Amino acid sequence: MRHALRYKPAYSPQSDIAFSSARYDTRAMLRNRLHSMAGTKMSAISKAVLLLLLFGIIFAGEVCGYRSKHWRLGFSESSMKYKPRKPLQIEANETWIWPLPAEWTKGESTIILDPKLELVVQGGLSESDVLEEAFERYLGHIFVHQSAEGKKLRRKSSSPTLLRLVINLLSDNQVLQLGTDESYTLAVPATNESSDVYLEASNIYGALRGLETFSQLCGFNFETRSVEIRDAPWSIKDKPRFQYRGLLIDTARHYLPVETIRKVIDSMSYAKLNVLHWHIVDTESFPLEIPSYPAMWDGAYTKAERYTMEDAANIVEYARRRGINIMPELDTPGHAASWGVGYPQLWPHPKCQQPLDVSSKFTFEVIAGILADFRKVFPFDLMHLGGDEVDTSCWNQSEHIRGWLKDRNLTLHDAYATFVLEVQTITRKLGWAPVNWEEPFSEFGKLLSPDTVVHEWYSNNLVPAIVDQGFRCIVSNQDVWYLDHLDVGWEEFYLNEPLADLNSLDQQQLVLGGEVCMWGETADPGDIEATIWPRAAAAAERLWSSPYVANSTYRALPRLERFRCLLHERGVGAAPVKNYYAREGPEGPGSCYDQ
């Protein structure tokens, strides 16, 4: 199910024929119709009316963010020469922040940012290495065009200049967990009021979110060679809509080097995502070191494609310093054939390698050992245990498992429940709340631990039933929030509503948030960024921003294009926004801000 239905083939010229329909080919069809009208016997008035109608339909598609896999009107099909297309004009007072804040006001002044901007931390902490490191990172982003000579000149400028960023922390708590307060307020003064930018947050993680917003207010003026903040004064009061805003990466289908994972984490922080769901192992490979069972990573593709436990700990700390939790996944009892490369006794039968042997005590000893090793490096409250796509017929092919079932008067369905519940018990003893994909809930939901988080992915109408039984929920409906579905456009990511059909506040509060999933069958270090971005950013705004301020793809499109350009400036290889198929290159020459 999750594996079988998740994958859709990448675009090929042959597959284009299957996708060609009136829905996707409208503008090309209309252009062809315009060309054919030249030889049609019609009155001049009739032709004029039809032309206006056809152009109106085309223009409406352009304005509404319609995606086409064909060339846009800027391309001349007769001459095959590209003609520059003017970018869509949006209100001049647009707020260029992604994701949009909860509340904000702004003015009409422009103020200069001094390249020697100083950081002052006060309140609950007088200093913070996390904030100091983040401040230096953001200075690098903000002043990327500033030369050493320009830095000297700016000090002599008579223009109103911001000299300090003052961060006031209301707490000294530096623990990052599910539900950590990420709210902040940001005040940028008008030209004559002050030389300080004021940022207040409950803790360092709210301050990190405020730093990202502050960096997006800054822009380089190529004429004055200075960094400016326009529309000052700014007053921003912001907090996330959902406490869980996740991205899944899959290091079992393709190994991702540590540096690639770090780049993904960096890019997540720019969109204010806060949970990296690390799908570490699966049927294909087991790349992570397990000290308690050292032969386990024999299931890696090669000896070079592995992670040490030190690697995992470093990734966790790298993410924490950017306000991002790491939720590991140990998928059982299915999706686990790679375990038996190092320990063949975990397989039910040499010719039938998964689900793991439910009848063996050794199976659960191994799982307990792995989870105990995980607990030493993964401090997040949630532990994902998979539990999906379990084909129990393999157990029936094993003589000793059939005997075990018969002795206990268990069906295959009972054995499936027994396995999942036992792993949940091990997990809870280690201080985690268990997370399972939706299948255990659908099959035996009343037996699950009450603190289980159900991860919805397949049944798009299941969330009301999950919360109705009192379970917390993460939303990842695969038809619109699976990034490896390359033909799902940013608009569908943007408009997916996690609280659909939930009218009760009590039910809504059980939805922790949502997650976009980057399954790795067709993504590796060479294309993972272009597959994730910018579509993940569309979901990020849905999860961070109030639907009262973020509710229009028309208004979102130019901001998303601008955010994609910001990702480029920071070294993230985001694909064009308007592509029909994700991660393809641009359709032709043009500005980053109109692709």
Side-chain angles (χ1 to χ4, degrees):
M1 285 163 44
R2 178 167 59 85
H3 176 71
L5 294 180
R6 182 173 63 240
Y7 173 69
K8 292 185 179 180
Y11 169 76
S12 67
Q14 292 75 23
S15 67
D16 187 37
I17 299 173
F19 282 104
S20 182
S21 67
R23 176 187 176 193
Y24 298 124
D25 206 29
T26 302
R27 281 186 285 182
M29 178 188 71
L30 293 175
R31 287 194 298 270
N32 293 336
R33 178 61 178 157
L34 292 175
H35 288 306
S36 66
M37 282 176 57
T40 303
K41 293 183 179 180
M42 297 175 63
S43 69
I45 295 177
S46 297
K47 284 188 177 182
V49 170
L50 185 56
L51 282 170
L52 287 173
L53 176 62
L54 295 178
F55 276 116
I57 293 172
I58 296 171
F59 179 74
E62 294 284 334
V63 168
C64 294
Y66 176 89
R67 296 181 311 120
S68 171
K69 63 184 178 182
H70 298 281
W71 296 94
R72 301 185 180 88
L73 291 177
F75 189 84
S76 171
E77 296 181 16
S78 59
S79 66
M80 297 304 290
K81 292 182 179 179
Y82 185 84
K83 298 179 180 179
R85 176 175 178 265
K86 293 182 179 179
L88 188 65
Q89 296 299 313
I90 299 295
E91 294 181 35
N93 65 347
E94 184 62 80
T95 298
W96 301 105
I97 301 173
W98 196 282
L100 279 174
E103 302 175 25
W104 73 91
T105 62
K106 58 183 180 178
E108 299 179 346
S109 301
T110 297
I111 192 165
I112 293 173
L113 198 64
D114 195 295
K116 295 182 180 179
L117 185 72
E118 298 176 7
L119 173 67
V120 177
V121 179
Q122 62 185 32
L125 292 171
S126 60
E127 58 182 23
S128 166
D129 61 331
V130 171
L131 290 182
E132 290 168 3
E133 181 183 281
F135 180 70
E136 291 301 320
R137 285 199 308 272
Y138 279 108
L139 286 182
H141 297 319
I142 293 168
F143 292 104
V144 66
H145 295 293
Q146 197 82 51
S147 66
E149 181 181 356
K151 291 181 180 181
K152 295 177 183 178
L153 292 175
R154 287 268 51 85
R155 277 290 190 182
K156 299 177 182 179
S157 173
S158 59
S159 302
T161 304
L162 296 173
L163 303 177
R164 301 195 309 169
L165 173 60
V166 179
I167 299 179
N168 185 50
L169 299 174
L170 304 180
S171 168
D172 63 354
N173 187 355
Q174 300 189 63
V175 176
L176 179 64
Q177 275 297 349
L178 181 69
T180 291
D181 188 354
E182 298 172 88
S183 64
Y184 66 91
T185 59
L186 178 65
V188 178
T191 54
N192 297 319
E193 292 178 352
S194 172
S195 60
D196 291 349
V197 177
Y198 188 77
L199 172 59
E200 182 171 282
S202 294
N203 52 58
I204 59 175
Y205 305 110
L208 289 174
R209 304 298 175 237
L211 275 173
E212 175 58 40
T213 298
F214 171 70
S215 74
Q216 293 188 27
L217 295 178
C218 302
F220 186 71
N221 186 322
F222 283 88
E223 294 181 358
T224 63
R225 306 297 177 97
S226 61
V227 172
E228 299 175 342
I229 296 180
R230 297 183 179 182
D231 300 327
W234 283 88
S235 177
I236 297 174
K237 187 176 182 180
D238 200 10
K239 63 179 180 180
R241 182 185 178 202
F242 292 100
Q243 60 182 302
Y244 185 108
R245 307 178 307 282
L247 166 67
L248 177 147
I249 59 170
D250 175 4
T251 58
R253 275 53 180 261
H254 279 99
Y255 176 81
L256 301 176
V258 172
E259 186 58 31
T260 299
I261 297 175
R262 286 176 177 165
K263 288 191 67 179
V264 169
I265 291 169
D266 284 335
S267 61
M268 289 175 65
S269 71
Y270 306 148
K272 297 186 174 72
L273 294 173
N274 72 340
V275 179
L276 179 68
H277 175 179
W278 189 2
H279 188 84
I280 305 173
V281 304
D282 209 291
T283 297
E284 293 81 4
S285 72
F286 197 117
L288 180 63
E289 175 187 25
I290 304 298
S292 297
Y293 292 91
M296 191 61 71
W297 67 354
D298 289 356
Y301 287 122
T302 66
K303 290 183 178 180
E305 294 171 295
R306 292 172 166 178
Y307 307 102
T308 66
M309 271 296 178
E310 289 79 10
D311 290 332
N314 290 337
I315 288 170
V316 169
E317 177 61 11
Y318 188 90
R320 183 191 74 84
R321 300 178 79 85
R322 287 147 182 82
I324 295 171
N325 290 290
I326 304 291
M327 178 177 69
E329 180 178 353
L330 189 71
D331 200 348
T332 65
H335 291 279
S338 62
W339 298 36
V341 176
Y343 296 93
Q345 57 268 49
L346 293 170
W347 289 335
H349 190 276
K351 295 183 179 180
C352 183
Q353 300 172 350
Q354 59 185 5
L356 298 173
D357 190 342
V358 66
S359 69
S360 172
K361 290 184 179 180
F362 180 66
T363 298
F364 297 99
E365 291 172 359
V366 170
I367 291 173
I370 293 173
L371 290 174
D373 287 343
F374 272 25
R375 201 54 172 135
K376 296 173 184 177
V377 298
F378 295 112
F380 189 43
D381 287 335
L382 304 180
M383 173 67 207
H384 208 302
L385 303 174
D388 62 305
E389 298 180 325
V390 179
D391 181 3
T392 56
S393 63
C394 179
W395 288 337
N396 235 1
Q397 298 177 38
S398 168
E399 183 176 351
H400 74 273
I401 294 180
R402 288 199 306 271
W404 181 85
L405 293 170
K406 183 177 180 181
D407 291 344
R408 290 160 178 77
N409 195 29
L410 297 176
T411 65
L412 292 174
H413 183 270
D414 295 334
Y416 174 26
T418 298
F419 196 112
V420 170
L421 296 177
E422 177 62 26
V423 177
Q424 280 201 344
T425 299
I426 296 169
T427 301
R428 295 179 73 247
K429 287 180 180 178
L430 290 169
W432 276 308
V435 182
N436 285 101
W437 295 106
E438 66 179 56
E439 286 91 330
F441 170 81
S442 298
E443 295 291 332
F444 43 86
K446 293 182 179 180
L447 301 178
L448 295 175
S449 171
D451 61 345
T452 300
V453 177
V454 180
H455 196 163
E456 176 268 355
W457 72 274
Y458 176 61
S459 305
N460 293 339
N461 58 352
L462 193 63
V463 173
I466 294 169
V467 299
D468 189 55
Q469 294 192 31
F471 290 107
R472 294 178 293 171
C473 180
I474 297 169
V475 177
S476 289
N477 35 323
Q478 55 91 24
D479 59 333
V480 289
W481 273 5
Y482 269 28
L483 291 158
D484 58 323
H485 288 193
L486 302 181
D487 61 334
V488 178
W490 75 270
E491 304 96 329
E492 293 168 271
F493 277 80
Y494 191 78
L495 295 174
N496 187 42
E497 175 48 55
L499 300 184
D501 302 322
L502 298 180
N503 299 317
S504 162
L505 180 60
D506 291 338
Q507 288 184 329
Q508 292 176 2
Q509 290 175 341
L510 289 172
V511 179
L512 299 179
E515 174 181 294
V516 291
C517 299
M518 183 60 268
W519 295 109
E521 286 91 345
T522 66
D524 67 7
D527 60 9
I528 188 170
E529 289 182 331
T531 314
I532 293 173
W533 305 107
R535 294 180 301 159
E541 180 155 284
R542 176 62 52 232
L543 293 168
W544 178 277
S545 305
S546 165
Y548 296 106
V549 299
N551 54 22
S552 165
T553 55
Y554 167 69
R555 296 296 299 270
L557 176 58
R559 289 191 302 106
L560 183 57
E561 289 176 320
R562 188 183 181 99
F563 182 74
R564 178 210 175 215
C565 298
L566 179 141
L567 292 176
H568 284 184
E569 291 168 1
R570 297 181 181 183
V572 180
V577 174
K578 296 176 182 175
N579 279 4
Y580 180 83
Y581 288 99
R583 79 182 177 210
E584 285 186 333
E587 292 183 340
S591 167
C592 172
Y593 296 93
D594 186 31
Q595 289 183 344

